[in-house]
Amino acid sequence: MAEENENGQEKTEQPTPKRRQDAKEKGQVPRSRELNTTVIMVLGAGGLLLFGGFMAGQLFQVFDLAFNISREQAFDPEAPLNLFRHAIAMGLLAVAPFTALMLFAALLTPAVLGGWTFSGKALQPKLSKMNPVKGLGRMFGVKAVVELAKALAKVLVVGGVGTVLVWSLQDRIRQLAVEPLGSGLSEGVVIFFWSFFALASALILVALVDIPYQLWDHTKKLRMTRQEVKDEFKQTEGKPEVKSKVRQLQQQIAQGRMMENVPQADVVVTNPTHFAIALRYDQARMRAPRVVAKGAGVVALRIREIAEEHRVPRVESPPLARALYHTTELEQEIPAGLYLAVAQVLAYVYQVRTVNRYGGRRPQPPEPTIPEEFQEYARRGAAGTGNEGAPGF
């Protein structure tokens, strides 16, 4: 049965990314105490095996420094303070690697599950936590049963591994009683460290069960009702009138950027009044001509005015203008089916430039050939766009 909120609505929907982010900002992230304990215990045991010899050697040097005092040092008033400082420095050096490893373990574990989070909201007192009724519910609830089961599992797992260790090491443990003090102490330390590492590693089994449970429990707590999902969507997307205003501003900004590209165009193909499409072609950088500006109605008029101000050639070809308008988006190359038609227009523009520069007979305006598959677009009028005055994207 799905969980219910205060209004009695069932929480059947998975939490949205926004819901998860809001929970993280409040300090509500999945955490596994078993994972924390296991990582710290395993790395701690490994650190003792790795740095134990170095730490013991440093501590022996500290003891030697403290108890082997010369006659001159005994009568020197400043000697005790100097020896104390030296002993402190050696002691800190002895535990520094192990301390760094433990600090790394403490910081690593939160990053593995839930990530790092720093939230002051989690530290704020909540009166609901002081409610005795809810406190009894937590004591006898499902979570309390789960924690009891984990505690029993840890006892069984660690106890079982400990029993196996004692049984397998019983001969070596008995041998310690008859060995010399130095070798017996060394052997006992080795047995203790490896046993500690084995017992700590046994907790991995408990952590592997606890991690999926904590992830599932965290997701369950963040589940949402259908109404909460709808309200969040409205809050995120905003009101319709606000979205309409945003779209209008976006269109204005896009039109401004588009108009800046008109002076760099090679030609503007017009309808002649309803449509205007500015084309640019750079043989060194482009595979095909590209639409740098397009529009209908008022926008088309503005494109023509800017083209006239900057002396950009204009070619009237209603079928080609309509086909380009309906099939090509801004900053896109023209369709392959219109290569020939646009090539005819560009060839005419280049010929006119040559005549204007060197003189000669002025060529006749082209009548671009529109392929059959583009005839439907070429026959569409301005009234069919449904977007007069918009940039057409």
Side-chain angles (χ1 to χ4, degrees):
M1 181 176 178
E3 190 176 350
E4 297 181 351
N5 65 355
E6 297 84 359
N7 299 325
Q9 298 176 332
E10 291 187 353
K11 296 183 177 182
T12 58
E13 307 302 314
Q14 292 296 320
T16 62
K18 183 179 183 302
R19 179 68 170 248
R20 292 182 182 274
Q21 182 62 32
D22 292 343
K24 187 174 183 179
E25 292 176 356
K26 296 177 182 178
Q28 300 174 4
V29 292
R31 287 285 184 257
S32 172
R33 287 185 294 179
E34 309 307 326
L35 178 63
N36 298 349
T37 303
T38 301
V39 171
I40 292 175
M41 293 286 287
V42 171
L43 290 183
L48 291 176
L49 290 172
L50 186 61
F51 304 116
F54 170 75
M55 295 169 61
Q58 288 292 108
L59 292 178
F60 278 129
Q61 291 184 22
V62 172
F63 292 150
D64 183 70
L65 180 66
F67 292 106
N68 291 331
I69 302 176
S70 64
R71 179 182 176 82
E72 292 78 8
Q73 291 176 330
F75 290 95
D76 185 1
E78 297 182 358
L81 183 58
N82 292 333
L83 290 174
F84 178 74
R85 291 174 179 171
H86 193 39
I88 289 295
M90 294 178 64
L92 292 176
L93 179 62
V95 299
F98 184 78
T99 303
L101 182 63
M102 291 294 95
L103 180 62
F104 172 75
L107 295 176
L108 172 67
T109 308
V112 173
L113 187 65
W116 290 319
T117 178
F118 302 94
S119 174
K121 297 180 180 179
L123 301 177
Q124 296 177 358
K126 294 183 179 180
L127 296 178
S128 60
K129 293 183 178 180
M130 303 176 62
N131 190 331
V133 177
K134 292 186 177 181
L136 290 174
R138 288 192 295 267
M139 290 176 60
F140 299 99
V142 177
K143 190 170 184 179
V145 175
V146 173
E147 293 297 327
L148 177 61
K150 288 193 296 183
L152 293 176
K154 285 190 286 187
V155 171
L156 293 176
V157 171
V158 175
V161 173
T163 301
V164 173
L165 283 174
V166 172
W167 181 264
S168 60
L169 296 174
Q170 58 180 329
D171 294 336
R172 295 178 62 181
I173 296 174
R174 291 197 195 99
Q175 187 65 26
L176 295 177
V178 297
E179 288 189 6
L181 179 61
S183 60
L185 183 61
S186 178
E187 179 69 11
V189 170
V190 171
I191 293 175
F192 171 77
F193 282 173
W194 278 107
S195 299
F196 179 55
F197 182 77
L199 292 173
S201 300
L203 294 175
I204 295 177
L205 298 176
V206 181
L208 290 177
V209 176
D210 185 58
I211 291 173
Y213 170 76
Q214 295 298 337
L215 293 174
W216 172 83
D217 185 62
H218 178 70
T219 302
K220 179 183 176 183
K221 292 178 181 177
L222 298 181
R223 281 180 182 170
M224 307 169 66
T225 64
R226 293 182 180 273
Q227 186 61 41
E228 288 174 338
V229 174
K230 294 179 181 178
D231 294 342
E232 182 184 294
F233 179 78
K234 292 180 180 179
Q235 181 182 3
T236 303
E237 297 297 323
K239 297 180 180 180
E241 56 270 20
V242 176
K243 290 192 291 183
S244 176
K245 184 64 176 179
V246 169
R247 283 196 298 267
Q248 182 179 357
L249 292 175
Q250 289 175 341
Q251 288 183 354
Q252 293 176 357
I253 295 173
Q255 287 181 17
R257 289 198 303 263
M258 181 179 68
M259 295 305 177
E260 295 176 357
N261 296 329
V262 175
Q264 285 77 40
D266 293 312
V267 65
V268 173
V269 183
T270 63
N271 191 38
T273 57
H274 291 98
F275 297 104
I277 294 88
L279 299 174
R280 176 173 171 77
Y281 181 51
D282 186 346
Q283 295 182 359
R285 299 181 180 179
M286 301 179 185
R287 297 180 303 175
R290 184 173 297 172
V291 174
V292 296
K294 58 180 286 190
V298 177
V299 178
L301 175 61
R302 182 56 183 160
I303 292 175
R304 293 196 301 273
E305 291 175 350
I306 296 177
E308 185 175 354
E309 292 174 5
H310 293 83
R311 310 185 79 175
V312 177
R314 286 192 302 163
V315 175
E316 294 185 4
S317 177
L320 179 58
R322 295 169 187 158
L324 288 171
Y325 183 88
H326 291 295
T327 60
T328 312
E329 302 296 335
L330 280 175
E331 299 300 331
Q332 284 188 356
E333 296 179 351
I334 64 173
L338 296 178
Y339 280 179
L340 177 59
V342 173
Q344 292 172 339
V345 172
L346 291 176
Y348 167 74
V349 171
Y350 297 151
Q351 290 173 5
V352 171
R353 288 179 181 174
T354 302
V355 170
N356 292 338
R357 181 177 299 179
Y358 301 105
R361 184 178 179 182
R362 191 176 185 86
Q364 292 294 325
E367 295 182 3
T369 304
I370 307 300
E372 184 65 29
E373 63 267 23
F374 291 92
Q375 289 294 333
E376 177 186 355
Y377 302 108
R379 287 190 293 267
R380 289 185 184 179
T385 65
N387 197 20
E388 305 239 9
F393 54 87

